[in-house]
Amino acid sequence: MTVCGVILAGGKSSRMGTNKALLEIKEKTVIEHIVEELFYVSNQLIVVTNQPDEYTFLDLPLVSDRYKDKGPLAGIETAMYHVKAKTFIIAACDMPFINWEIYQYLHDQLHEYDAVVPIYDNQLHPLSGIYRKKALPTIQKQIENNNLKVKSFFQGLNVHYVDLFNGFTEGQVEKHFFNMNHPSQYIQAKNF
């Protein structure tokens, strides 16, 4: 099965005040940490960004949103539109501690489903989900209807929600889903 790892790096980082993906933790940018982990579970990687000049150092395919100013749903659509893969593993660019083994665990539960969406701390994490290419028309329809909430397109799909992470410690799972939106969270990340 062809698997594409997708890094969504299209946000404006307004709450952080600077590009979250390019902040450094342990002498590497956040996005470099994400790339390293996704390489273990993907046949190919792509970065969806509206500032491609900032990411040329990664030496990865860079694509800009086909639907401008439509949020992360448009980023997922863009990756699926451009890449010939059967499955897409999504990672937001503000999650410095993603764990490839957790992604593999989620991917192993895809089976006959159209998507696997994790639930952690009583919250859906669609930007850490795994989606089949067949979700693309549903996503496009949602965007064209200006219904931009990522979870809004789940109604048209056979989704497997995963809230048990057997074999992982609470600490591993907490770090995997940790994301940085504010400077205080960046300080927290540097002290993890």
Side-chain angles (χ1 to χ4, degrees), residues 78-99:
T78 295
M80 288 184 169
Y81 178 86
H82 285 290
V83 177
K84 289 181 178 166
K86 290 186 177 177
T87 309
F88 294 80
I89 296 176
I90 308 300
C93 71
D94 60 358
M95 298 175 69
F97 306 116
I98 63 164
N99 181 326

Side-chain angles (χ1 to χ4, degrees), residues 49-135:
T49 175
N50 295 317
Q51 292 92 29
D53 292 349
E54 295 186 0
Y55 299 104
T56 54
F57 71 96
L58 294 171
D59 200 25
L60 290 172
L62 307 169
V63 293
S64 296
D65 288 334
R66 292 183 347 106
Y67 295 89
K68 300 297 180 198
D69 300 316
K70 299 292 184 181
L73 193 60
I76 296 170
E77 188 279 340
T78 295
M80 288 184 169
Y81 178 86
H82 285 290
V83 177
K84 289 181 178 166
K86 290 186 177 177
T87 309
F88 294 80
I89 296 176
I90 308 300
C93 71
D94 60 358
M95 298 175 69
F97 306 116
I98 63 164
N99 181 326
W100 72 268
E101 292 174 299
I102 291 177
Y103 274 120
Q104 186 64 56
Y105 174 80
L106 294 169
H107 189 272
D108 289 346
Q109 297 184 61
L110 191 56
H111 305 300
E112 75 281 4
Y113 296 101
D114 301 327
V116 171
V117 177
I119 299 172
Y120 174 69
D121 201 21
N122 294 316
Q123 288 188 315
L124 280 177
H125 290 272
L127 300 185
S128 296
I130 298 174
Y131 303 93
R132 289 193 191 276
K133 177 87 164 201
K134 65 191 284 186

Side-chain angles (χ1 to χ4, degrees), residues 138 142 147 151-159 161:
T138 305
Q142 290 296 115
N147 189 353
K151 56 188 171 191
S152 64
F153 80 94
F154 294 167
Q155 295 168 349
L157 300 178
N158 183 13
V159 179
Y161 297 97

Side-chain angles (χ1 to χ4, degrees), residues 25-60:
I25 296 175
K26 295 183 179 156
E27 300 176 16
K28 287 184 190 165
T29 62
V30 169
I31 199 165
E32 287 174 301
H33 287 288
I34 295 168
V35 166
E36 282 181 7
E37 291 296 306
L38 287 181
F39 261 127
Y40 288 110
V41 286
S42 308
N43 303 111
Q44 56 189 317
L45 291 179
I46 189 170
V47 179
V48 181
T49 175
N50 295 317
Q51 292 92 29
D53 292 349
E54 295 186 0
Y55 299 104
T56 54
F57 71 96
L58 294 171
D59 200 25
L60 290 172

